[in-house]
Amino acid sequence: MEKNFEALIASYIENKVGISEHFLSDELANNLKQNLFSLNKQSFLKEAGTGNSEAVAYDSAVRSDSIYWLDKKHNNEFENEFFKQIEDFIRYLNQSCYTGITGYEFHYSLYEKGDFYLRHFDQFQNNSSRKFSMISYLNSNWQPEDGGELMIHQDNNNQKISPVQGKTVFFKSDELLHEVLLTNTTRMSITGWLKCD
């Protein structure tokens, strides 16, 4: 896994956007995807809002995906495998880059056809604990015409990232304005943040 960890860190240092094409194995990505499908079938996914628990807003003109928070208390073997990988990455990141990350939070994110998320930063105005954003994709047969790319806005260097299964993207939560472009098919990911609480 260190090769994938290094890929994230090296590309982040070079371009402020870390990308590892195979951060998640196909086996883990497929198991997480099946878990997401099962949760959605049971109506556990809920409308996503903007803001945090102190000031949350729901506006489908800004964001139209649905989410489900991952939690070790669920004792799901595949979510726990994902958590272990994240914890290994945090340990590697802290040792190599002295980032001081102390925690994390992640949720499943499901975009159906026609869904999107307009430009935004990931850090709250009333809480600066989110330091790095991470998105891991679960879309095995993604094609360019499917849409749903992550668009990251930088001065004279906008970057459009395809949500291909196994790929993980990593960037500072308060630094880069980004959006999820209109998707033309079902689009799945695990999205979250590395935190200093």
Side-chain angles (χ1 to χ4, degrees):
M1 283 308 303
E2 286 191 7
K3 181 179 178 181
N4 290 320
F5 296 168
E6 273 298 321
L8 273 183
I9 293 169
S11 50
Y12 166 76
I13 291 171
E14 180 179 350
N15 191 40
K16 296 185 179 181
V17 181
I19 298 177
S20 171
E21 296 290 343
H22 305 289
F23 188 86
L24 296 184
S25 68
D26 272 340
E27 181 179 10
L28 179 55
N30 285 330
N31 286 329
L32 289 165
K33 180 165 47 181
Q34 291 306 313
N35 191 43
L36 192 163
F37 281 143
S38 176
L39 291 165
N40 190 46
K41 190 174 182 180
Q42 298 172 73
S43 301
F44 282 120
L45 274 75
K46 303 300 180 186
E47 177 186 5
T50 56
N52 58 11
S53 58
E54 296 176 24
V56 64
Y58 297 94
D59 186 348
S60 60
V62 173
R63 178 182 188 180
S64 52
D65 61 318
S66 53
I67 65 171
Y68 177 86
W69 288 97
L70 279 64
D71 194 318
K72 283 188 174 179
K73 293 177 184 176
H74 300 156
N75 201 28
N76 178 278
E77 62 178 308
F78 308 120
E79 292 177 17
N80 286 344
E81 185 179 347
F82 174 80
F83 285 143
K84 183 182 183 306
Q85 192 164 318
I86 292 298
E87 289 163 2
D88 288 345
F89 175 65
I90 289 172
R91 197 158 32 248
Y92 190 88
L93 183 68
N94 282 343
Q95 289 172 355
S96 59
C97 301
Y98 309 103
T99 49
I101 299 301
T102 57
Y104 57 82
E105 58 184 4
F106 284 89
H107 62 67
Y108 288 117
S109 185
L110 176 66
Y111 289 74
E112 302 285 9
K113 181 178 180 180
D115 285 345
F116 57 90
Y117 191 171
L118 298 183
R119 297 184 189 196
H120 63 283
F121 292 104
D122 278 350
Q123 195 177 84
F124 302 125
Q125 292 183 354
N126 62 352
N127 186 329
S128 61
S129 64
R130 290 179 175 178
K131 300 305 179 185
F132 293 96
S133 302
M134 290 187 74
I135 308 118
S136 295
Y137 295 112
L138 307 175
N139 309 294
S140 54
N141 297 308
W142 183 87
Q143 300 296 319
E145 59 269 22
D146 293 336
E149 296 94 340
L150 175 68
M151 176 69 84
I152 294 182
H153 299 274
Q154 298 194 60
D155 293 339
N156 304 315
N157 187 29
N158 290 345
Q159 187 173 0
K160 189 185 288 188
I161 300 170
S162 57
V164 175
Q165 177 162 301
K167 180 186 293 183
T168 290
V169 182
F170 170 78
F171 55 91
K172 282 196 75 174
S173 299
D174 65 347
E175 189 169 69
L176 297 181
L177 195 63
H178 58 285
E179 63 183 307
V180 176
L181 301 179
L182 184 75
T183 185
N184 299 315
T185 189
T186 301
R187 175 195 190 273
M188 296 159 287
S189 67
I190 295 181
T191 297
W193 300 273
L194 308 186
K195 304 174 69 179
C196 292
D197 292 315

